[in-house]
Each structure stands twice: as C-alpha cells, then as structure tokens.
C-alpha cells in the first residue's frame, strides 16, 4: 500500500520503481505458492458450518429474489424493501445466474448512470470506462457487463471479460437500479448519484474493502437460513459441482473459467478441493474393468491344457499334445516303472 501511495506522487512512475514493484508482486506470488496449505474438503467444511452445496445456494438466492420482488409489489418502495432487493441482486451476481465472477470485479462495478472516467486506481487508459454494467436496450431489455480490470488482465494482454446479462438477472438489476436504489441513496443522505457503484454497504458507500463485503454477505446468508460461508468460497462450490461425477448440464468448463477470470487448469490447482481424491477413486474403480479385461485376455490366449492320468511315478503329468499318450516324469526317482 505504501509503495502504491508513493507511486501516485511525482516521479513515482520511474521505470526502476515500477520494475521493483512488479518484482515484489511476483515474489509475493512465489512465496505464497510455496507455503503449505491445509487440505480442505466439502464434507469437513460442512461439518464446521462453512460450506453449502451448489443446489442449496441456488435455492436460497432464488428464494430471496422472489421474496424481494413480491414485497416490492405489495409494500412499495421503502428503505427496507429496497435493501432487500439490493441484497437479492448482489447475491444473484455472486452466485446462481453467472459463473462466480471475482468479488473485486463485483465491488468495482459501476452503474449505467456513471459517465465519468474509470475509477480503478492503476488505470492509465484515458478512454477506459472501468468495470461497468450497461443498459444496451430498454425494449427488449438487454444489459451487458464489461470487466477490463480483473486479476489476469495483464496476462491476457488486457483482454476484457464481457458478456450479456441473463434476462432474469437483468430484470432484477434493472428494477433495483431504479426507485429502490434512489431510495437507499436518499436514506443515506447521498442525494443524486453520489455513489457510482452498483452495490453499496449499509452506509450507502461502495464495498471498497473486501472484508466489508465478506461480513455483509455472511450476515445476509445466515439471515436466509444459510451458514457464514465466505463469499469467495462460492467459486469452490461451483467448481466442485462442475467437476463432480454427478455434474448437471451447464456451461462449458472453459467458458465458465473465462468468466471467473482464470483457466480450467487453475480449477484443478486452486478451486477443486476434491481433485485428488476423486481422481484416485476413479482410478481404483477403473482398475476393476481393467482386471476383468486382463482375465478375459488370458483365457482366450491360453493353450488347451489336458491332464494325463497315465501310470508312472505317481505324479500327474500335464500334456499339451495329443500325439503322445504318456510322457516321462522329470522327477529324481531311480525307480523303474513297468508299463506292461
């Protein structure tokens, strides 16, 4: 933080300083990669009240959406109904309608009414509009999310994550961005559009700090009968379902990973908590069909072996030839056997 503050000062963008800052960031990633991480699995997290399966989360969020819309119709626009709709829209953005977008992108998402320059502190592009929710068409309703600022933007050559919002989510967001959002701003004495962000905390300010959004989400989820699960865990919940042997029909893994701001390879490394045990179990299960194939192959390739019951030294002889009825025994006995 100190280095970024210094970078904002005159001369703070000197090439040597920028190089040193990038080196420190790389070093931090390398150190984090080498630190041991405790093994976690969904069952263990569920036992301590830190996990909800994908179906439970989708059901909880869907219930909040329906309830907020019904209350808005019955009670009208009040601070309470507006906050409920805000929370339902926020939850629907975090999980359910979209592959789990990074929380930093959701926190920095500005609304259609904000027309000023990009708010990202490191952005140097004069034409950049920042992470934005836009209304492309009112009838039929079409909304679009553009995310130029995401974690892998530099690695991807500044490629923008962009997609049209699903119709149900677009309708919910469009309703919230009208009178309900205005009611919340007025309640917090921020008349007009003083808060540029789509989502705001209980004081009418954007979720500038990740910890604020985490606590806000946990409190909301518990109020809906859920568990105090970290919102970032929604990404693990989603990947756990998509990678499971019982995954339902849904988006392609590559496309979902793109919206999430990473790659399928990173699913295996960071998000799929059952990656190793699932592969191990699948390998053991697959060995049984492999074993059966080996037994069948041996049976088909084996010679036609018959047992010879001729009188000889007392040993049972094995013969694979029909031409010779008897074969001599290779035992060490010196006893002569009369076959007459």
């Amino acid at each position: 933080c100190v280095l970024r503050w210094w970078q904002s000062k005159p001369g703070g963008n000197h090439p040597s300083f920028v190089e040193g800052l990038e080196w420190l960031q790389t070093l931090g990633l390398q150190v984090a990669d080498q630190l041991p991480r405790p093994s976690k699995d969904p069952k263990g997290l569920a036992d301590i009240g830190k996990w909800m399966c994908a179906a439970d989360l989708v059901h909880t969020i869907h219930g909040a959406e329906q309830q907020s819309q019904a209350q808005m119709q019955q009670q009208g626009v009040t601070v309470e109904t507006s906050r409920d709709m805000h929370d339902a829209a926020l939850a629907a953005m975090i999980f359910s309608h979209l592959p789990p977008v990074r929380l930093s992108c959701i926190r920095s998402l500005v609304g259609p009414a904000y027309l000023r320059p990009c708010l990202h502190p490191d952005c140097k592009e004069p034409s950049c509009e920042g992470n934005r929710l836009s209304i492309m068409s009112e009838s039929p309703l079409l909304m679009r999310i553009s995310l130029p600022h995401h974690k892998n933007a530099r690695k991807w050559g500044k490629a923008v994550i962009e997609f049209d919002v699903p119709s149900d989510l677009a309708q919910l967001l469009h309703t919230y961005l009208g009178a309900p959002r205005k009611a919340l701003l007025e309640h917090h004495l921020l008349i007009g559009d003083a808060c540029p962000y789509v989502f705001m905390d209980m004081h009418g300010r954007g979720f500038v700090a990740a910890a604020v959004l985490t606590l806000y989400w946990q409190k909301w989820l518990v109020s809906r009968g859920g568990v105090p699960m970290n919102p970032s865990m929604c990404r693990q919940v989603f990947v756990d379902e998509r990678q499971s042997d019982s995954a339902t029909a849904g988006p392609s893994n590559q496309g979902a990973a793109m919206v999430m701001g990473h790659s399928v390879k990173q699913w295996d490394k960071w998000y799929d908590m059952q990656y190793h045990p699932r592969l191990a179990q699948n390998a053991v299960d697959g060995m049984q069909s492999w074993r059966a194939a080996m037994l069948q192959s041996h049976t088909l390739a084996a010679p036609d072996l018959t047992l010879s019951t001729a009188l000889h030294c007392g040993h049972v002889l094995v013969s694979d030839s029909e031409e010779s009825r008897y074969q001599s025994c290779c035992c060490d006995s010196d006893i002569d056997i009369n076959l007459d």
Side-chain angles (χ1 to χ4, degrees):
C1 293
V2 174
L3 292 176
R4 290 199 177 279
W5 171 81
W6 183 260
Q7 192 178 19
S8 65
K9 301 300 179 182
N13 286 318
H14 190 276
S16 298
F17 182 85
V18 174
E19 237 177 77
L21 184 60
E22 291 178 352
W23 177 82
L24 283 175
Q25 291 173 337
T26 303
L27 179 64
L29 293 174
Q30 292 172 340
V31 171
D33 190 53
Q34 296 301 317
L35 291 176
R37 296 177 179 84
S39 179
K40 297 179 181 178
D41 64 272
K43 184 180 183 305
L45 291 171
D47 290 342
I48 61 174
K50 297 293 184 180
W51 180 270
M52 291 177 67
C53 70
D56 289 344
L57 264 178
V58 170
H59 179 77
T60 299
I61 294 171
H62 180 65
E65 293 177 49
Q66 291 186 315
Q67 182 178 354
S68 66
Q69 292 170 339
Q71 288 180 342
M72 188 67 67
Q73 292 178 351
Q74 296 169 3
Q75 304 175 25
V77 179
T78 66
V79 174
E80 290 74 20
T81 59
S82 299
R83 177 56 65 176
D84 285 343
M85 180 160 283
H86 166 279
D87 294 349
L90 174 60
M93 278 289 296
I94 292 176
F95 199 78
S96 184
H97 293 273
L98 308 171
V101 179
R102 290 190 182 277
L103 296 178
S104 58
C105 295
I106 295 176
R107 290 190 292 111
S108 60
L109 195 68
V110 297
Y114 180 77
L115 303 176
R116 284 169 282 179
C118 177
L119 296 175
H120 195 279
D122 296 331
C123 184
K124 306 299 180 184
E125 300 291 336
S127 60
C128 180
E129 296 183 342
N131 293 341
R132 174 175 294 274
L133 173 65
S134 304
I135 299 176
M136 310 304 296
S137 170
E138 291 279 358
S139 181
L141 179 61
L142 176 62
M143 305 184 80
R144 180 170 298 166
I145 291 178
S146 300
L147 305 173
H149 298 293
H150 53 91
K151 188 175 181 180
N152 285 324
R154 180 175 296 183
K155 291 182 180 179
W156 293 1
K158 297 184 179 180
V160 178
I161 300 175
E162 189 173 68
F163 51 86
D164 293 340
V165 180
S167 57
D168 288 347
L169 178 58
Q171 188 61 57
L172 178 65
L173 288 169
H174 189 264
T175 303
Y176 156 68
L177 288 172
R181 186 171 185 274
K182 183 179 179 181
L184 291 178
L185 292 173
E186 291 177 349
H187 175 69
H188 297 296
L189 303 180
L190 298 175
I191 307 300
D193 202 14
C195 178
Y197 301 106
V198 174
F199 303 108
M200 63 186 81
D201 62 16
M202 294 300 293
H203 302 286
R205 299 170 300 202
F207 292 99
V208 179
V212 176
L213 178 56
T214 296
L215 293 174
Y216 190 95
W217 160 271
Q218 289 176 333
K219 184 177 179 180
W220 176 85
L221 194 56
V222 170
S223 72
R224 302 295 307 183
V227 299
M229 185 179 73
N230 194 307
S232 63
M233 288 295 295
C234 291
R235 295 162 73 84
Q236 278 89 341
V237 171
F238 177 75
V239 172
D240 178 73
E241 194 282 330
R242 299 312 306 149
Q243 296 287 72
S244 69
D245 296 331
S246 58
T248 58
S252 69
N253 290 351
Q254 186 175 6
M258 181 72 67
V259 174
M260 294 171 70
H262 55 223
S263 65
V264 176
K265 186 177 180 180
Q266 288 176 290
W267 282 16
D268 300 338
K269 187 174 182 181
W270 300 107
Y271 295 97
D272 188 359
M273 294 186 292
Q274 299 194 85
Y275 175 71
H276 293 97
R278 184 176 60 254
L279 285 186
Q281 188 60 57
N282 288 344
V284 171
D285 294 343
M287 281 296 294
Q288 309 318 304
S289 58
W290 177 86
R291 177 177 177 272
M294 292 298 101
L295 290 173
Q296 184 179 10
S297 175
H298 181 270
T299 301
L300 294 175
D304 182 18
L305 300 179
T306 59
L307 292 178
S308 174
T309 57
L311 297 176
H312 43 59
C313 63
H315 294 167
V316 176
L317 299 182
V318 178
S319 171
D320 58 359
S321 173
E322 293 292 341
E323 298 178 0
S324 175
R325 184 177 179 185
Y326 306 112
Q327 292 184 2
S328 60
C329 179
C330 297
C331 69
D332 296 332
S333 174
D334 294 332
I335 301 175
D336 293 331
I337 300 178
N338 187 357
L339 298 178
D340 295 334

